[in-house]
Amino acid sequence: MGKAANHYLVFETAGGFCGIAWNDVGITRFQLPTHSAAATERNLLRRLPGANPAWPPPLWREAVGRGDALFRGETWIWRA
């Protein structure tokens, strides 16, 4: 049985560049902010070699928005 393919997105927040990675099962990694998009991508790919950049599915896009809000200082409660 093979591993599920990982995908990732690097996005900018008020705290720097974050990243999120996922596969068919769920979110596999959330990269805390770094100073550049390239550094975030390197960190993600170091831990998930072979992952491909992609636009996340709707639920993971919400996680991106929540991560961005968190680094702007907003508070929120996750409700799945």
Side-chain angles (χ1 to χ4, degrees):
M1 183 166 154
K3 288 185 176 182
N6 281 288
H7 306 283
Y8 70 93
L9 175 72
V10 173
F11 58 99
E12 190 170 11
T13 72
F17 291 89
C18 291
I20 189 170
W22 68 93
N23 61 28
D24 291 339
V25 177
I27 293 175
T28 56
R29 183 154 205 81
F30 188 90
Q31 174 66 47
L32 293 174
T34 66
H35 65 283
S36 72
T40 295
E41 185 174 42
R42 270 193 312 274
N43 288 340
L44 284 170
L45 292 175
R46 185 178 310 129
R47 290 162 181 87
L48 297 168
N52 295 305
W55 190 246
L59 187 57
W60 306 154
R61 283 195 299 269
E62 183 176 343
V64 167
R66 299 293 186 173
D68 183 42
L70 177 68
F71 289 108
R72 285 194 315 268
E74 295 179 23
T75 58
W76 50 272
I77 298 172
W78 182 272
R79 296 194 170 121

